[in-house]
Amino acid sequence: MPNITLNNISKRYTPDHPPAVDQVSMEIEDGAFMCVLGPSGCGKSTILRMIAGLENLTDGEIAVAGKSLDHVRKGIFVPPEKRHIGLVFQSYALWPHMTVARNIEFGLKLQKMPAQERKQRVADMIAMLKIEGLEDRYPAQLSGGQQQRVALARTLAMNPGVLLLDEPLSNLDAALRLSMRAELTRLHKEFGTTIVFVTHDQWEAMTLATKIAVMNKGTLQQIGTPDDIYERPANRFVAEFIGNPPINMLPVTSSVAQHLINISGFSIPSEASTDQAMLGLRPEGLQLSTDASGKGFPVVISDIMPTGGAWIIELQANAVTSENESFSLVYTTQTPPLWRKGEHVFLRAAPHAMHLFSKDGERQSLSINSKTAAFAEMKTPNLCKSKTEDIL
């Protein structure tokens, strides 16, 4: 399937309300696993439905290989059944009166595929999705994961060039969601189908996608690889939406932010030196020490919360400043942290974990300060060392 191109597409349901999708442009490459990620109501499912042809554009164009499927100004609209696109809904939408085999076969019958070929295709899909032995059951007799596999089998049997998935894992329990993520990754590699996957779950997007498009209030915030989205967020919304626990945000004028920026060898651009500019600190990039010689900022441990394989450490600076700043830090190692609640420690931030945002929320670059750059050299953490050394 050639590339899918969205050119300034918009969708407005009523003239008096803001658009559900507002001038979104992106290109989905052949064979890509694209995740459209964002909070509820951001327009991600509307984009999926417009690609499928279930929603008409208010403005813009959707094209495949340069051929328009939907172009408002030219009056072009290709109906859904002629787009060669498969769609799996959040509710799966299986026919309740049909067996598993008949559900999978349904679309093939509409295509008037010969009976023997249909039978073989259904058998192939049942084997591929690992639902052998369920052929004669009805949807009500299946678990949520089994229903999800049947819905995928029914769509993949049609051999679509593009597979659209609208939050298909949201109805599953945590363990099954994990196994189905692995299943989707396997199917993507095996079929080579272009997949557009809508989700509000950042972990689904980060673990599945080759590209992520982050949406908010109908507008595209950023598009890039999972590493791009996490390591180089385009604005404050993306930085705060991606990451668990969320990124720490501090005013750049606070003493904590000033100190961490300085010892990391950075300086703040003059245009960002305002009360409204913010410094973001990824919890995974913060480091603790009991040694004051590391020039870290003095903080107090207010809480230590185990999460299974990792610990979230809450820190407070109010014992040494009047700003009452608090931070979250992630400690990942095979042994529990040796620090205790109420202990006084010193905080540093790895340079790669620091992100600067203007008063408008846009990403800005931190400048290298040659006078303090020597402090920016931070060694790779050795998790086998004791707490008295400058590590996390």
Side-chain angles (χ1 to χ4, degrees), residues 243-378:
N244 186 25
I247 192 170
N248 301 289
M249 284 291 178
L250 307 174
V252 296
T253 53
S254 71
S255 58
V256 185
Q258 293 280 340
H259 186 90
L260 293 177
I261 289 171
N262 186 53
I263 66 171
S264 295
F266 292 126
S267 62
I268 302 172
S270 57
E271 62 270 20
S273 299
T274 69
D275 292 335
Q276 295 171 299
M278 303 295 287
L279 178 70
L281 302 170
R282 288 288 183 198
E284 299 83 359
L286 299 183
Q287 300 179 340
L288 292 183
S289 172
T290 55
D291 185 2
S293 65
K295 301 186 183 297
F297 191 88
V299 294
V300 177
I301 296 176
S302 59
D303 203 1
I304 299 177
M305 298 173 286
T307 61
W311 289 261
I312 297 174
I313 301 178
E314 295 288 342
L315 307 168
Q316 285 281 347
N318 61 338
V320 290
T321 75
S322 60
E323 294 164 344
N324 197 30
E325 301 290 358
S326 61
F327 331 89
S328 294
L329 174 152
V330 175
Y331 181 88
T332 54
T333 182
Q334 294 180 348
T335 58
L338 298 177
W339 301 287
R340 293 292 178 262
K341 184 176 179 180
E343 187 170 355
H344 290 252
V345 290
F346 297 90
L347 176 72
R348 290 189 64 167
H352 65 80
M354 304 173 72
H355 304 274
L356 180 64
F357 302 98
S358 69
K359 63 180 182 179
D360 298 323
E362 296 303 311
R363 179 181 180 85
Q364 290 194 312
S365 297
L366 285 160
S367 304
I368 296 295
N369 186 337
S370 58
K371 295 181 181 179
T372 58
F375 296 140
E377 297 181 5
M378 303 181 69

Side-chain angles (χ1 to χ4, degrees), residues 46 51 59 99 109 139 210 241 252 254 289:
T46 303
I51 295 174
D59 197 11
T99 63
K109 276 189 171 182
T210 57
F241 192 76
V252 296
S254 71
S289 172

